[in-house]
Amino acid sequence: MPQENIKTMKLYHQVERVFNELTALGFGPGDPIDVDTLSAFDQYHYLGTEAVDEAARCLRLQAAAKVLEVGSGIGGPSRHLAHRYGCHMTALELQADLHRTGEELTSRCGLLPRVQHRLGDILDGVSPGGFDGVVSWLTFLHIADRQTLYRRCFEALAPVGGLYVEDFYARGTLSEAELRMLSADVYCDHLPTLDQWDSGLRSAGFESIRIRDMTLPWTDFVAKRLGAYRTARKRNEKLHGEALVQDLEHFYTTMDRLFALGNLGGLRLWAWKPTE
Ligand SMILES: C[S@@+](CC[C@H](N)C(=O)[O-])C[C@H]1O[C@@H](n2cnc3c(N)ncnc32)[C@H](O)[C@@H]1O
């Protein structure tokens, strides 16, 4: 997947903006940071660290569990799982600027090497069989080749390891305009139905698949996020510059519209690799 194409999604513009937020809080360059302070700015998904706690609960993650995060962004969920639960994380990220920013933040949180950052594409695979858990937030939506993706996750897991995913699904029939918005602004060209999620994971070998519908809380979340961003426009323009604020407002508006139309759905799922 060419990295530059994914940058059509404006959430991924100027990811170093997290450093502006830290400066505003009084942190100098290179100062140590605590994970809980950072978590207000480093979770690129819905409902913040609550959603990460849910993964730990569903997969029954214990201290020292080896966990792979697929599409780790700037590392927020991986740092939270390492800090709060003692997991040993591999944070795999496709985009070099997000990967670099994530690694710097992890180092400033004193969490290297408990969180190891890797730059790469999940479709190329990771070392097989080594993980007790594979977790992922809002990443699968970028990957159209689901068969290979599910197989890579399955291969990465040890027997009885668990997969936890938060992502999108087709809840209704999306119009041409909705599909265009998803493709152009969210870098999402493939949206399975709930049945297709279930059957795809089963064909890869997963069992005991549980799916929870998150559409309503996510619809509410994206509407409030947009409202709060608009209210703070002046403050954000001063901190990050007008261009970035326009980009992010465009992205937040797109997500609000798509969920409000009711055909885009959100899900939380977990599933298990059987014993050999
Ligand atoms: C919405 S962000 C979520 C980041 C992180 N999971 C979080 O919740 O904070 C999705 C991330 O997945 C990454 N990604 C997309 N396709 C990928 C792939 N094939 N392999 C690895 N990472 C990928 C993107 O670059 C992006 O950083």
Side-chain angles (χ1 to χ4, degrees), residues 159-191:
V160 303
L163 170 73
Y164 178 94
V165 178
E166 296 200 3
D167 217 90
F168 295 164
Y169 75 93
R171 186 167 178 254
T173 306
L174 284 91
S175 67
E176 284 300 317
E178 286 169 272
L179 290 172
R180 262 200 311 278
M181 262 196 275
L182 266 180
S183 178
D185 294 329
V186 192
Y187 199 62
C188 173
D189 288 314
H190 176 69
L191 199 60

PDB file of all heavy atoms in Angstrom, residues 159-191:
ATOM      1  N   PRO A 159      -1.607 -20.551  19.976  1.00  0.00           N
ATOM      2  CA  PRO A 159      -2.881 -21.233  20.210  1.00  0.00           C
ATOM      3  C   PRO A 159      -3.552 -20.684  21.475  1.00  0.00           C
ATOM      4  O   PRO A 159      -2.864 -20.365  22.441  1.00  0.00           O
ATOM      5  CB  PRO A 159      -2.471 -22.702  20.397  1.00  0.00           C
ATOM      6  CG  PRO A 159      -1.148 -22.809  19.710  1.00  0.00           C
ATOM      7  CD  PRO A 159      -0.481 -21.470  19.813  1.00  0.00           C
ATOM      8  N   VAL A 160      -4.857 -20.552  21.420  1.00  0.00           N
ATOM      9  CA  VAL A 160      -5.734 -19.931  22.432  1.00  0.00           C
ATOM     10  C   VAL A 160      -5.500 -18.424  22.623  1.00  0.00           C
ATOM     11  O   VAL A 160      -6.008 -17.841  23.580  1.00  0.00           O
ATOM     12  CB  VAL A 160      -5.797 -20.664  23.808  1.00  0.00           C
ATOM     13  CG1 VAL A 160      -6.240 -22.088  23.647  1.00  0.00           C
ATOM     14  CG2 VAL A 160      -4.502 -20.583  24.580  1.00  0.00           C
ATOM     15  N   GLY A 161      -4.754 -17.829  21.704  1.00  0.00           N
ATOM     16  CA  GLY A 161      -4.611 -16.372  21.723  1.00  0.00           C
ATOM     17  C   GLY A 161      -5.890 -15.720  21.198  1.00  0.00           C
ATOM     18  O   GLY A 161      -6.691 -16.360  20.506  1.00  0.00           O
ATOM     19  N   GLY A 162      -6.073 -14.444  21.534  1.00  0.00           N
ATOM     20  CA  GLY A 162      -7.311 -13.751  21.152  1.00  0.00           C
ATOM     21  C   GLY A 162      -7.062 -12.530  20.274  1.00  0.00           C
ATOM     22  O   GLY A 162      -6.019 -11.869  20.368  1.00  0.00           O
ATOM     23  N   LEU A 163      -8.053 -12.263  19.432  1.00  0.00           N
ATOM     24  CA  LEU A 163      -8.032 -11.077  18.558  1.00  0.00           C
ATOM     25  C   LEU A 163      -9.112 -10.112  19.047  1.00  0.00           C
ATOM     26  O   LEU A 163     -10.256 -10.535  19.311  1.00  0.00           O
ATOM     27  CB  LEU A 163      -8.367 -11.518  17.121  1.00  0.00           C
ATOM     28  CG  LEU A 163      -8.622 -10.402  16.100  1.00  0.00           C
ATOM     29  CD1 LEU A 163      -7.317  -9.694  15.719  1.00  0.00           C
ATOM     30  CD2 LEU A 163      -9.278 -10.973  14.824  1.00  0.00           C
ATOM     31  N   TYR A 164      -8.772  -8.823  19.162  1.00  0.00           N
ATOM     32  CA  TYR A 164      -9.760  -7.790  19.530  1.00  0.00           C
ATOM     33  C   TYR A 164      -9.676  -6.681  18.497  1.00  0.00           C
ATOM     34  O   TYR A 164      -8.586  -6.144  18.237  1.00  0.00           O
ATOM     35  CB  TYR A 164      -9.439  -7.232  20.917  1.00  0.00           C
ATOM     36  CG  TYR A 164     -10.397  -6.133  21.350  1.00  0.00           C
ATOM     37  CD1 TYR A 164     -11.516  -6.427  22.123  1.00  0.00           C
ATOM     38  CD2 TYR A 164     -10.180  -4.800  20.972  1.00  0.00           C
ATOM     39  CE1 TYR A 164     -12.398  -5.424  22.517  1.00  0.00           C
ATOM     40  CE2 TYR A 164     -11.065  -3.793  21.367  1.00  0.00           C
ATOM     41  CZ  TYR A 164     -12.162  -4.110  22.131  1.00  0.00           C
ATOM     42  OH  TYR A 164     -13.039  -3.126  22.507  1.00  0.00           O
ATOM     43  N   VAL A 165     -10.836  -6.322  17.908  1.00  0.00           N
ATOM     44  CA  VAL A 165     -10.848  -5.313  16.835  1.00  0.00           C
ATOM     45  C   VAL A 165     -12.000  -4.337  17.059  1.00  0.00           C
ATOM     46  O   VAL A 165     -13.120  -4.748  17.395  1.00  0.00           O
ATOM     47  CB  VAL A 165     -11.046  -5.989  15.449  1.00  0.00           C
ATOM     48  CG1 VAL A 165     -11.118  -4.941  14.339  1.00  0.00           C
ATOM     49  CG2 VAL A 165      -9.924  -6.976  15.151  1.00  0.00           C
ATOM     50  N   GLU A 166     -11.736  -3.036  16.846  1.00  0.00           N
ATOM     51  CA  GLU A 166     -12.815  -2.046  16.729  1.00  0.00           C
ATOM     52  C   GLU A 166     -12.732  -1.480  15.322  1.00  0.00           C
ATOM     53  O   GLU A 166     -11.649  -1.063  14.885  1.00  0.00           O
ATOM     54  CB  GLU A 166     -12.667  -0.945  17.774  1.00  0.00           C
ATOM     55  CG  GLU A 166     -12.797  -1.488  19.191  1.00  0.00           C
ATOM     56  CD  GLU A 166     -13.146  -0.430  20.233  1.00  0.00           C
ATOM     57  OE1 GLU A 166     -13.354   0.744  19.865  1.00  0.00           O
ATOM     58  OE2 GLU A 166     -13.203  -0.796  21.417  1.00  0.00           O
ATOM     59  N   ASP A 167     -13.867  -1.469  14.622  1.00  0.00           N
ATOM     60  CA  ASP A 167     -13.796  -1.078  13.212  1.00  0.00           C
ATOM     61  C   ASP A 167     -15.192  -0.755  12.664  1.00  0.00           C
ATOM     62  O   ASP A 167     -16.179  -0.735  13.410  1.00  0.00           O
ATOM     63  CB  ASP A 167     -13.132  -2.194  12.400  1.00  0.00           C
ATOM     64  CG  ASP A 167     -12.238  -1.652  11.288  1.00  0.00           C
ATOM     65  OD1 ASP A 167     -11.041  -1.428  11.538  1.00  0.00           O
ATOM     66  OD2 ASP A 167     -12.751  -1.431  10.177  1.00  0.00           O
ATOM     67  N   PHE A 168     -15.264  -0.533  11.350  1.00  0.00           N
ATOM     68  CA  PHE A 168     -16.519  -0.159  10.691  1.00  0.00           C
ATOM     69  C   PHE A 168     -17.169  -1.370  10.018  1.00  0.00           C
ATOM     70  O   PHE A 168     -16.485  -2.331   9.657  1.00  0.00           O
ATOM     71  CB  PHE A 168     -16.253   0.882   9.596  1.00  0.00           C
ATOM     72  CG  PHE A 168     -15.743   2.213  10.085  1.00  0.00           C
ATOM     73  CD1 PHE A 168     -15.154   3.109   9.190  1.00  0.00           C
ATOM     74  CD2 PHE A 168     -15.846   2.588  11.420  1.00  0.00           C
ATOM     75  CE1 PHE A 168     -14.694   4.349   9.618  1.00  0.00           C
ATOM     76  CE2 PHE A 168     -15.382   3.825  11.857  1.00  0.00           C
ATOM     77  CZ  PHE A 168     -14.803   4.701  10.946  1.00  0.00           C
ATOM     78  N   TYR A 169     -18.482  -1.277   9.818  1.00  0.00           N
ATOM     79  CA  TYR A 169     -19.169  -2.275   8.991  1.00  0.00           C
ATOM     80  C   TYR A 169     -20.296  -1.595   8.212  1.00  0.00           C
ATOM     81  O   TYR A 169     -20.708  -0.470   8.547  1.00  0.00           O
ATOM     82  CB  TYR A 169     -19.703  -3.432   9.854  1.00  0.00           C
ATOM     83  CG  TYR A 169     -20.935  -3.126  10.668  1.00  0.00           C
ATOM     84  CD1 TYR A 169     -22.208  -3.407  10.171  1.00  0.00           C
ATOM     85  CD2 TYR A 169     -20.846  -2.567  11.942  1.00  0.00           C
ATOM     86  CE1 TYR A 169     -23.355  -3.144  10.919  1.00  0.00           C
ATOM     87  CE2 TYR A 169     -21.978  -2.294  12.690  1.00  0.00           C
ATOM     88  CZ  TYR A 169     -23.232  -2.587  12.180  1.00  0.00           C
ATOM     89  OH  TYR A 169     -24.354  -2.315  12.912  1.00  0.00           O
ATOM     90  N   ALA A 170     -20.766  -2.291   7.176  1.00  0.00           N
ATOM     91  CA  ALA A 170     -21.879  -1.763   6.374  1.00  0.00           C
ATOM     92  C   ALA A 170     -23.169  -2.126   7.091  1.00  0.00           C
ATOM     93  O   ALA A 170     -23.554  -3.293   7.160  1.00  0.00           O
ATOM     94  CB  ALA A 170     -21.844  -2.356   4.971  1.00  0.00           C
ATOM     95  N   ARG A 171     -23.854  -1.096   7.613  1.00  0.00           N
ATOM     96  CA  ARG A 171     -25.073  -1.314   8.400  1.00  0.00           C
ATOM     97  C   ARG A 171     -26.281  -1.257   7.470  1.00  0.00           C
ATOM     98  O   ARG A 171     -27.274  -1.939   7.663  1.00  0.00           O
ATOM     99  CB  ARG A 171     -25.130  -0.198   9.437  1.00  0.00           C
ATOM    100  CG  ARG A 171     -26.214  -0.269  10.450  1.00  0.00           C
ATOM    101  CD  ARG A 171     -25.874   0.723  11.544  1.00  0.00           C
ATOM    102  NE  ARG A 171     -26.892   0.764  12.560  1.00  0.00           N
ATOM    103  CZ  ARG A 171     -27.763   1.748  12.702  1.00  0.00           C
ATOM    104  NH1 ARG A 171     -27.746   2.777  11.874  1.00  0.00           N
ATOM    105  NH2 ARG A 171     -28.660   1.710  13.671  1.00  0.00           N
ATOM    106  N   GLY A 172     -26.186  -0.393   6.463  1.00  0.00           N
ATOM    107  CA  GLY A 172     -27.231  -0.279   5.444  1.00  0.00           C
ATOM    108  C   GLY A 172     -26.564  -0.220   4.082  1.00  0.00           C
ATOM    109  O   GLY A 172     -25.369  -0.481   3.965  1.00  0.00           O
ATOM    110  N   THR A 173     -27.365   0.147   3.070  1.00  0.00           N
ATOM    111  CA  THR A 173     -26.775   0.261   1.731  1.00  0.00           C
ATOM    112  C   THR A 173     -26.247   1.680   1.554  1.00  0.00           C
ATOM    113  O   THR A 173     -27.022   2.646   1.567  1.00  0.00           O
ATOM    114  CB  THR A 173     -27.846  -0.033   0.658  1.00  0.00           C
ATOM    115  OG1 THR A 173     -28.410  -1.305   0.972  1.00  0.00           O
ATOM    116  CG2 THR A 173     -27.256  -0.049  -0.731  1.00  0.00           C
ATOM    117  N   LEU A 174     -24.948   1.785   1.398  1.00  0.00           N
ATOM    118  CA  LEU A 174     -24.360   3.116   1.293  1.00  0.00           C
ATOM    119  C   LEU A 174     -24.578   3.685  -0.108  1.00  0.00           C
ATOM    120  O   LEU A 174     -24.459   2.948  -1.106  1.00  0.00           O
ATOM    121  CB  LEU A 174     -22.858   3.073   1.612  1.00  0.00           C
ATOM    122  CG  LEU A 174     -22.554   2.952   3.113  1.00  0.00           C
ATOM    123  CD1 LEU A 174     -22.439   1.504   3.542  1.00  0.00           C
ATOM    124  CD2 LEU A 174     -21.269   3.700   3.479  1.00  0.00           C
ATOM    125  N   SER A 175     -24.917   4.967  -0.176  1.00  0.00           N
ATOM    126  CA  SER A 175     -25.120   5.627  -1.474  1.00  0.00           C
ATOM    127  C   SER A 175     -23.763   5.832  -2.145  1.00  0.00           C
ATOM    128  O   SER A 175     -22.713   5.732  -1.491  1.00  0.00           O
ATOM    129  CB  SER A 175     -25.785   6.988  -1.266  1.00  0.00           C
ATOM    130  OG  SER A 175     -24.864   7.841  -0.592  1.00  0.00           O
ATOM    131  N   GLU A 176     -23.803   6.184  -3.440  1.00  0.00           N
ATOM    132  CA  GLU A 176     -22.552   6.491  -4.164  1.00  0.00           C
ATOM    133  C   GLU A 176     -21.793   7.609  -3.444  1.00  0.00           C
ATOM    134  O   GLU A 176     -20.577   7.557  -3.317  1.00  0.00           O
ATOM    135  CB  GLU A 176     -22.877   6.948  -5.597  1.00  0.00           C
ATOM    136  CG  GLU A 176     -23.269   5.800  -6.536  1.00  0.00           C
ATOM    137  CD  GLU A 176     -22.153   4.778  -6.672  1.00  0.00           C
ATOM    138  OE1 GLU A 176     -20.987   5.184  -6.808  1.00  0.00           O
ATOM    139  OE2 GLU A 176     -22.458   3.563  -6.605  1.00  0.00           O
ATOM    140  N   ALA A 177     -22.544   8.620  -2.976  1.00  0.00           N
ATOM    141  CA  ALA A 177     -21.891   9.764  -2.315  1.00  0.00           C
ATOM    142  C   ALA A 177     -21.214   9.324  -1.009  1.00  0.00           C
ATOM    143  O   ALA A 177     -20.096   9.749  -0.703  1.00  0.00           O
ATOM    144  CB  ALA A 177     -22.918  10.850  -2.030  1.00  0.00           C
ATOM    145  N   GLU A 178     -21.873   8.442  -0.259  1.00  0.00           N
ATOM    146  CA  GLU A 178     -21.266   7.955   0.991  1.00  0.00           C
ATOM    147  C   GLU A 178     -20.003   7.129   0.687  1.00  0.00           C
ATOM    148  O   GLU A 178     -18.985   7.272   1.363  1.00  0.00           O
ATOM    149  CB  GLU A 178     -22.264   7.094   1.762  1.00  0.00           C
ATOM    150  CG  GLU A 178     -23.368   7.904   2.425  1.00  0.00           C
ATOM    151  CD  GLU A 178     -24.481   7.001   2.943  1.00  0.00           C
ATOM    152  OE1 GLU A 178     -25.415   6.689   2.177  1.00  0.00           O
ATOM    153  OE2 GLU A 178     -24.410   6.598   4.106  1.00  0.00           O
ATOM    154  N   LEU A 179     -20.093   6.289  -0.336  1.00  0.00           N
ATOM    155  CA  LEU A 179     -18.925   5.466  -0.689  1.00  0.00           C
ATOM    156  C   LEU A 179     -17.759   6.347  -1.135  1.00  0.00           C
ATOM    157  O   LEU A 179     -16.601   6.077  -0.806  1.00  0.00           O
ATOM    158  CB  LEU A 179     -19.287   4.469  -1.805  1.00  0.00           C
ATOM    159  CG  LEU A 179     -20.244   3.345  -1.369  1.00  0.00           C
ATOM    160  CD1 LEU A 179     -20.716   2.529  -2.573  1.00  0.00           C
ATOM    161  CD2 LEU A 179     -19.573   2.426  -0.339  1.00  0.00           C
ATOM    162  N   ARG A 180     -18.091   7.432  -1.860  1.00  0.00           N
ATOM    163  CA  ARG A 180     -17.030   8.361  -2.302  1.00  0.00           C
ATOM    164  C   ARG A 180     -16.377   9.045  -1.105  1.00  0.00           C
ATOM    165  O   ARG A 180     -15.160   9.166  -1.043  1.00  0.00           O
ATOM    166  CB  ARG A 180     -17.623   9.426  -3.242  1.00  0.00           C
ATOM    167  CG  ARG A 180     -17.415   9.104  -4.732  1.00  0.00           C
ATOM    168  CD  ARG A 180     -17.546  10.342  -5.603  1.00  0.00           C
ATOM    169  NE  ARG A 180     -18.738  11.123  -5.309  1.00  0.00           N
ATOM    170  CZ  ARG A 180     -19.957  10.853  -5.788  1.00  0.00           C
ATOM    171  NH1 ARG A 180     -20.152   9.825  -6.595  1.00  0.00           N
ATOM    172  NH2 ARG A 180     -20.988  11.625  -5.466  1.00  0.00           N
ATOM    173  N   MET A 181     -17.217   9.467  -0.138  1.00  0.00           N
ATOM    174  CA  MET A 181     -16.665  10.118   1.069  1.00  0.00           C
ATOM    175  C   MET A 181     -15.733   9.159   1.805  1.00  0.00           C
ATOM    176  O   MET A 181     -14.650   9.517   2.245  1.00  0.00           O
ATOM    177  CB  MET A 181     -17.806  10.496   2.027  1.00  0.00           C
ATOM    178  CG  MET A 181     -18.265  11.925   1.939  1.00  0.00           C
ATOM    179  SD  MET A 181     -19.238  12.350   3.408  1.00  0.00           S
ATOM    180  CE  MET A 181     -20.843  11.784   2.930  1.00  0.00           C
ATOM    181  N   LEU A 182     -16.202   7.912   1.932  1.00  0.00           N
ATOM    182  CA  LEU A 182     -15.392   6.916   2.652  1.00  0.00           C
ATOM    183  C   LEU A 182     -14.057   6.694   1.954  1.00  0.00           C
ATOM    184  O   LEU A 182     -13.009   6.606   2.589  1.00  0.00           O
ATOM    185  CB  LEU A 182     -16.122   5.575   2.686  1.00  0.00           C
ATOM    186  CG  LEU A 182     -16.972   5.251   3.896  1.00  0.00           C
ATOM    187  CD1 LEU A 182     -17.593   3.877   3.727  1.00  0.00           C
ATOM    188  CD2 LEU A 182     -16.161   5.286   5.198  1.00  0.00           C
ATOM    189  N   SER A 183     -14.112   6.613   0.622  1.00  0.00           N
ATOM    190  CA  SER A 183     -12.894   6.334  -0.125  1.00  0.00           C
ATOM    191  C   SER A 183     -11.957   7.542  -0.101  1.00  0.00           C
ATOM    192  O   SER A 183     -10.761   7.417   0.206  1.00  0.00           O
ATOM    193  CB  SER A 183     -13.266   5.956  -1.562  1.00  0.00           C
ATOM    194  OG  SER A 183     -12.096   5.739  -2.287  1.00  0.00           O
ATOM    195  N   ALA A 184     -12.497   8.726  -0.395  1.00  0.00           N
ATOM    196  CA  ALA A 184     -11.637   9.908  -0.554  1.00  0.00           C
ATOM    197  C   ALA A 184     -11.138  10.445   0.782  1.00  0.00           C
ATOM    198  O   ALA A 184      -9.989  10.871   0.889  1.00  0.00           O
ATOM    199  CB  ALA A 184     -12.401  11.001  -1.298  1.00  0.00           C
ATOM    200  N   ASP A 185     -11.984  10.428   1.811  1.00  0.00           N
ATOM    201  CA  ASP A 185     -11.621  11.113   3.057  1.00  0.00           C
ATOM    202  C   ASP A 185     -11.246  10.175   4.196  1.00  0.00           C
ATOM    203  O   ASP A 185     -10.725  10.610   5.222  1.00  0.00           O
ATOM    204  CB  ASP A 185     -12.790  11.993   3.537  1.00  0.00           C
ATOM    205  CG  ASP A 185     -13.057  13.137   2.567  1.00  0.00           C
ATOM    206  OD1 ASP A 185     -12.095  13.602   1.941  1.00  0.00           O
ATOM    207  OD2 ASP A 185     -14.227  13.543   2.424  1.00  0.00           O
ATOM    208  N   VAL A 186     -11.562   8.875   4.046  1.00  0.00           N
ATOM    209  CA  VAL A 186     -11.297   7.939   5.152  1.00  0.00           C
ATOM    210  C   VAL A 186     -10.365   6.804   4.682  1.00  0.00           C
ATOM    211  O   VAL A 186      -9.989   5.950   5.457  1.00  0.00           O
ATOM    212  CB  VAL A 186     -12.632   7.378   5.716  1.00  0.00           C
ATOM    213  CG1 VAL A 186     -12.415   6.652   7.031  1.00  0.00           C
ATOM    214  CG2 VAL A 186     -13.667   8.481   5.927  1.00  0.00           C
ATOM    215  N   TYR A 187     -10.003   6.841   3.411  1.00  0.00           N
ATOM    216  CA  TYR A 187      -9.143   5.807   2.827  1.00  0.00           C
ATOM    217  C   TYR A 187      -9.709   4.405   3.118  1.00  0.00           C
ATOM    218  O   TYR A 187      -9.026   3.494   3.564  1.00  0.00           O
ATOM    219  CB  TYR A 187      -7.696   5.934   3.360  1.00  0.00           C
ATOM    220  CG  TYR A 187      -6.703   5.224   2.496  1.00  0.00           C
ATOM    221  CD1 TYR A 187      -6.500   5.586   1.167  1.00  0.00           C
ATOM    222  CD2 TYR A 187      -5.967   4.150   2.984  1.00  0.00           C
ATOM    223  CE1 TYR A 187      -5.605   4.913   0.356  1.00  0.00           C
ATOM    224  CE2 TYR A 187      -5.062   3.465   2.186  1.00  0.00           C
ATOM    225  CZ  TYR A 187      -4.891   3.857   0.865  1.00  0.00           C
ATOM    226  OH  TYR A 187      -4.009   3.184   0.072  1.00  0.00           O
ATOM    227  N   CYS A 188     -11.015   4.293   2.871  1.00  0.00           N
ATOM    228  CA  CYS A 188     -11.705   3.030   3.119  1.00  0.00           C
ATOM    229  C   CYS A 188     -12.447   2.622   1.847  1.00  0.00           C
ATOM    230  O   CYS A 188     -13.404   3.294   1.452  1.00  0.00           O
ATOM    231  CB  CYS A 188     -12.679   3.208   4.287  1.00  0.00           C
ATOM    232  SG  CYS A 188     -13.743   1.787   4.565  1.00  0.00           S
ATOM    233  N   ASP A 189     -11.978   1.538   1.229  1.00  0.00           N
ATOM    234  CA  ASP A 189     -12.571   1.084  -0.028  1.00  0.00           C
ATOM    235  C   ASP A 189     -13.283  -0.252   0.093  1.00  0.00           C
ATOM    236  O   ASP A 189     -13.695  -0.823  -0.907  1.00  0.00           O
ATOM    237  CB  ASP A 189     -11.479   0.968  -1.112  1.00  0.00           C
ATOM    238  CG  ASP A 189     -11.017   2.346  -1.560  1.00  0.00           C
ATOM    239  OD1 ASP A 189     -11.880   3.206  -1.805  1.00  0.00           O
ATOM    240  OD2 ASP A 189      -9.792   2.564  -1.617  1.00  0.00           O
ATOM    241  N   HIS A 190     -13.375  -0.745   1.304  1.00  0.00           N
ATOM    242  CA  HIS A 190     -14.045  -2.034   1.478  1.00  0.00           C
ATOM    243  C   HIS A 190     -14.741  -2.029   2.832  1.00  0.00           C
ATOM    244  O   HIS A 190     -14.093  -1.809   3.864  1.00  0.00           O
ATOM    245  CB  HIS A 190     -13.012  -3.166   1.416  1.00  0.00           C
ATOM    246  CG  HIS A 190     -13.614  -4.503   1.677  1.00  0.00           C
ATOM    247  ND1 HIS A 190     -14.470  -5.107   0.791  1.00  0.00           N
ATOM    248  CD2 HIS A 190     -13.500  -5.345   2.739  1.00  0.00           C
ATOM    249  CE1 HIS A 190     -14.862  -6.269   1.296  1.00  0.00           C
ATOM    250  NE2 HIS A 190     -14.282  -6.434   2.472  1.00  0.00           N
ATOM    251  N   LEU A 191     -16.048  -2.253   2.811  1.00  0.00           N
ATOM    252  CA  LEU A 191     -16.814  -2.204   4.061  1.00  0.00           C
ATOM    253  C   LEU A 191     -17.675  -3.461   4.163  1.00  0.00           C
ATOM    254  O   LEU A 191     -18.728  -3.550   3.540  1.00  0.00           O
ATOM    255  CB  LEU A 191     -17.704  -0.947   4.018  1.00  0.00           C
ATOM    256  CG  LEU A 191     -18.241  -0.442   5.340  1.00  0.00           C
ATOM    257  CD1 LEU A 191     -17.124  -0.069   6.302  1.00  0.00           C
ATOM    258  CD2 LEU A 191     -19.146   0.771   5.100  1.00  0.00           C
TER     259      LEU A 191
END
